[in-house]
Amino acid sequence: MEKIDLKAFAIKAEEKKKAFRRFITKCEKKPPKNLNSLAIETDKEVWQEIDCTSCANCCKKMTPTFTPKDIKRAATFLHMTPAAFKAKWLIKEKQDKDWVNRQQPCQFLDLSTNLCTIYEARPDDCAGFPHLAKQKVKDYIHIHRQNMMYCPATYRFVELLKQKLKTFPDKKDLSGLKIIGKGKKRKSPVRSV
């Protein structure tokens, strides 16, 4: 697979941002009945087109949340104590109180290969990213609102889902219908003899 041009991707994502966010909001508020099965089908299509190692933009621009379990696993992998791991690599967010990377791009990303140097011990957030076909999709689709600006796979997922749900109109299409009369009472049509 080709290496992803991140500059071109950023321009394309910015251009489609409003339309895609409106679409995601509609899916959240009134999810189509087949959303879960469509998401699974679309997820498979996305991974036939996109290879994360041709991009790694999530590791360059975003940070995972490190749970206590993630910290212990990564620290053990690096032969460190959890306290030493946190002191060296992480900061605690003030607002959410989450442990996150101290720097961007991620300190564990090998920029020459786009591979994770702690892949076997990476945080669960990274292992599940970009969370495309998580069940129930309507409960997770809001995550795509942010991720689609950084992740070509998420962008493509939303793009394909939007195409598949074209029958999910903005407004009911009433063009071509003739409105006859006003009010609640309707008269039977009169037949000419």
Side-chain angles (χ1 to χ4, degrees):
M1 288 185 200
E2 281 184 41
K3 188 172 181 176
I4 294 171
D5 180 346
L6 293 175
K7 286 183 182 179
F9 165 73
I11 292 167
K12 185 169 72 168
E14 189 60 40
E15 288 172 357
K16 299 278 186 166
K17 179 169 73 173
K18 285 182 182 176
F20 281 12
R21 285 184 173 176
R22 278 193 307 270
F23 169 74
I24 289 169
T25 299
K26 286 179 186 176
C27 286
E28 275 181 298
K29 289 183 178 178
K30 191 172 180 187
K33 289 180 184 176
N34 60 341
L35 184 60
N36 287 337
S37 58
L38 270 178
I40 292 166
E41 172 189 312
T42 306
D43 178 65
K44 289 176 186 171
E45 290 175 43
V46 166
W47 297 120
Q48 289 175 3
E49 296 177 26
I50 295 177
D51 173 19
C52 287
T53 61
S54 69
C55 175
N57 204 37
C58 54
C59 304
K60 295 170 186 169
K61 302 279 186 186
M62 303 170 80
T63 179
T65 298
F66 285 79
T67 65
K69 184 178 161 187
D70 294 331
I71 293 168
K72 184 177 180 182
R73 184 175 56 247
T76 301
F77 183 81
L78 295 171
H79 309 290
M80 303 172 81
T81 66
F85 180 85
K86 287 190 283 191
K88 183 171 183 175
W89 303 115
L90 306 178
I91 58 171
K92 194 167 197 169
E93 283 184 328
K94 290 179 183 174
Q95 187 177 10
D96 297 330
K97 308 266 190 250
D98 290 330
W99 287 101
V100 296
N101 281 335
R102 186 177 294 274
Q103 65 184 43
Q104 299 287 208
C106 177
Q107 61 273 5
F108 303 115
L109 176 66
D110 179 340
L111 290 167
S112 65
T113 62
N114 280 344
L115 297 176
C116 177
T117 58
I118 64 163
Y119 187 80
E120 298 83 12
R122 70 195 184 281
D124 287 341
D125 238 8
C126 297
F129 191 83
H131 318 287
L132 299 181
K134 268 198 157 173
Q135 299 298 324
K136 292 184 171 182
V137 176
K138 76 174 187 82
D139 295 339
Y140 289 91
I141 201 162
H142 69 279
I143 294 169
H144 304 328
R145 204 176 275 115
Q146 173 189 334
N147 291 352
M148 71 182 184
M149 299 305 294
Y150 302 103
C151 175
T154 303
Y155 176 92
R156 185 66 177 139
F157 177 81
V158 174
E159 183 177 52
L160 287 171
L161 208 55
K162 191 172 189 286
Q163 288 171 6
K164 290 176 182 187
L165 290 170
K166 278 199 179 197
T167 57
F168 190 51
D170 287 336
K171 294 180 181 172
K172 286 188 178 177
D173 183 11
L174 301 177
S175 62
L177 293 180
K178 192 174 185 180
I179 298 175
I180 51 169
K182 295 182 180 179
K184 293 183 181 184
K185 290 186 179 180
R186 293 188 169 231
K187 292 184 179 180
S188 299
V190 179
R191 297 177 91 186
S192 56
V193 197

